[in-house]
Structure formats: C-alpha cells, structure tokens
C-alpha cells in the first residue's frame, strides 16, 4: 500500500510570523510531509488567517512541500499573488466560481507549473467536481464545514472519497477536518492519499502523533 502523506495545517500557529516559523520547523522535525497553508480572508469564512505574504519566508526555512487551501470568495482576484510564491499545489473551492471561472483558474494554475486541486465543502454534492477530474491533480474533500479548526469529523465525507476513488484511480484525494488516527484510518481505507491535520498535531505536539496518523501505512 502507498504511504499516506501527512499535511500539517498552518491554522493552529496563528497569524504571527515567528510562531509560524517555529511551527513549520517543528512539524517538519516530526516528519510531516506537507505544510497546508489555510487561507481565510473573512469572505467565504468568518475568520481571517495568514495569506500569500507569509509563504516564501516559511518555505525557505522548511524542507516540506507547501500547499494552499484558499477559502476565499474571489480566488480569481488573488491567484496571481499565490502563483508568484513557492507553493507546489493550490486548492480552490468549487463553490465560489462558475464553470467558466473554474476552467480559467485551473488553466492559469497549470500554466504557472503548479499542481491544482478543487475543494469540495462538506455540504456540496461530490458530483460537481466530476467534470474537472481529468484536468486537475487533486481533490480536497472537506470532512467538516470549511472555516475553523477543531471541529468534529463528519462520516458523510467517506462516501465522497469512495465515489471519487471508484471513478478515478490516479487522482490525489486529500481530506481536511477533524482528522485523528481513527478518522484518518477510515479515510485512507475509503481511498484518501493525504490527511490534513490541525488540532491533533498541534495539541499532541510529538513525532509519535504524526506517525499515529499514518497508521499501518507509515
Ligand atoms: C478548516 C481548515 C482545516 C483545519 C483543520 O476549515 O481548512 O485545514 O485547520 O483543523 P482540524 O484538524 O483541527 O480540524
Ligand atoms: Zn484546510
């Protein structure tokens, strides 16, 4: 079985650059694979977080791959800023753009030689992402409603993972929200490749915590 990748969410480390720097290095030393930059601008979600301005300084101090989860209502207005950073993968919510907008932003991100993914929020029909699967690298399936950390995993996301995995064997499937070893194992069994974790890693704060998220597939 393929190794499960662990993506540590930037959210618990707050908006202060020095705490972000310290956190990215710490989760790196614990063996995380990816740093998941959660971006909220207070439009799609209630809260505000760090944004593109933090990415390169964090990246030069870390050996992790960086991805961004853009929880913003108008990603087309800010995408250029993110394309200039050292991100490897950029996720945009499927809910905030029409068909034309989705196609355009996928094209733009690919043209900048970055990986592109679409996020399907908890209450969104997974079938909405189907027409784009051949043009994207990854699907991020929310296992809570996007917007804040520390929420409880919602089991209804498991069928969405299975659905995507059944129709596409190769696409990367990432899950985000309420991931602990038990819920992570269910997602991996359903077909997920990458587990995002915020609170679980932050609160446990050990190498073992990250290994326990990988479970049997470490
Ligand atoms: C929330 C963010 C998540 C969040 C996960 O909407 O997208 O990445 O930080 O945090 P936990 O693991 O605490 O649910
Ligand atoms: Zn996220």
């Amino acid at each position: 079985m393929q190794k499960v990748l662990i993506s540590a969410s930037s959210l618990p480390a707050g908006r202060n650059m020095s705490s972000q720097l310290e956190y990215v290095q710490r989760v790196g030393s614990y063996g995380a694979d990816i740093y998941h930059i959660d971006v909220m601008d207070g439009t799609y979600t209630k809260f505000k977080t760090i944004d593109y301005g933090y990415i390169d300084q964090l990246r030069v101090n870390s050996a992790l791959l960086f991805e961004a989860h853009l929880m913003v209502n108008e990603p087309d207005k800010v995408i250029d800023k993110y394309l200039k950073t050292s991100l490897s993968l950029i996720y945009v919510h499927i809910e905030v753009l029409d068909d034309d907008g989705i196609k355009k932003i996928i094209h733009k991100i690919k043209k900048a030689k970055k990986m592109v993914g679409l996020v399907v929020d908890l209450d969104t029909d997974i079938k909405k992402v189907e027409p784009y699967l051949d043009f994207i690298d990854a699907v991020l399936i929310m296992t809570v409603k996007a917007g804040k950390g520390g929420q409880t995993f919602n089991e209804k996301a498991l069928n969405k993972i299975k659905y995507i995995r059944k129709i596409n064997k190769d696409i990367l499937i990432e899950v985000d929200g309420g991931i602990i070893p038990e819920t992570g194992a269910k997602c991996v069994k359903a077909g997920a490749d990458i587990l995002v974790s915020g609170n679980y890693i932050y609160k446990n704060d050990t190498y073992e915590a990250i290994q326990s998220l990988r479970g049997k597939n470490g």
Side-chain angles (χ1 to χ4, degrees):
M1 192 178 277
Q2 216 180 320
K3 184 182 163 189
V4 177
L5 298 180
I6 305 299
S7 187
S9 163
S10 62
L11 203 56
R15 294 169 72 178
N16 180 289
M17 179 59 97
S18 61
S19 65
Q20 281 290 335
L21 270 170
E22 192 268 325
Y23 193 59
V24 74
Q25 288 172 338
R26 199 141 44 97
V27 295
S29 73
Y30 294 159
D33 303 289
I34 304 169
Y35 201 51
H36 177 92
I37 304 277
D38 274 308
V39 179
M40 307 182 195
D41 67 358
T43 58
Y44 186 72
T45 57
K46 192 168 151 199
F47 301 105
K48 282 192 182 179
T49 62
I50 61 170
D51 60 13
Y52 57 88
Y54 288 69
I55 295 170
D56 286 344
Q57 199 180 335
L58 294 175
R59 178 70 186 82
V60 293
N61 287 286
S62 166
L64 300 182
L65 282 173
F66 272 50
E67 62 184 18
H69 172 192
L70 302 185
M71 289 168 271
V72 304
N73 266 341
E74 296 181 306
D76 43 322
K77 299 247 169 81
V78 293
I79 194 67
D80 288 339
K81 303 257 203 281
Y82 289 89
L83 294 178
K84 288 192 190 113
T85 69
S86 45
L87 287 167
S88 298
L89 166 60
I90 301 179
Y91 281 112
V92 177
H93 270 262
I94 196 161
E95 295 83 7
V96 301
L97 294 168
D98 61 13
D99 177 59
D100 190 49
I102 293 170
K103 285 178 181 151
K104 278 192 181 135
I105 208 157
I106 290 172
H107 181 72
K108 204 164 188 187
I109 298 171
K110 296 297 277 182
K111 213 173 147 204
K113 304 219 174 346
K114 296 194 187 291
M115 290 170 79
V116 57
L118 289 171
V119 191
V120 181
D121 214 337
L122 186 66
D123 297 325
T124 302
D125 187 346
I126 192 67
K127 293 202 170 82
K128 267 195 89 176
V129 80
E130 218 175 311
Y132 309 104
L133 291 182
D134 288 343
F135 311 104
I136 61 177
D137 301 286
V139 179
L140 178 59
I141 297 177
M142 293 307 299
T143 41
V144 299
K145 173 94 187 77
K148 61 177 196 288
Q151 303 181 74
T152 305
F153 178 86
N154 191 312
E155 300 265 335
K156 78 177 180 185
L158 292 172
N159 280 337
K160 293 183 175 178
I161 304 171
K162 287 183 197 155
Y163 182 82
I164 296 295
R165 186 48 79 222
K166 197 168 169 200
I167 58 175
N168 191 313
K169 301 277 171 257
D170 304 317
I171 199 150
L172 284 171
I173 301 178
E174 180 161 346
V175 290
D176 186 3
I179 299 296
I180 58 174
E182 293 74 21
T183 55
K186 287 182 184 177
C187 292
V188 171
K189 196 166 168 223
D193 307 288
I194 308 175
L195 306 176
V196 177
S197 168
N199 265 37
Y200 182 76
I201 294 176
Y202 191 75
K203 286 195 174 146
N204 287 285
D205 200 22
T206 54
Y207 172 85
E208 287 71 26
I210 289 191
Q211 298 319 308
S212 67
L213 286 171
R214 285 191 217 283
K216 294 186 306 242
N217 308 306

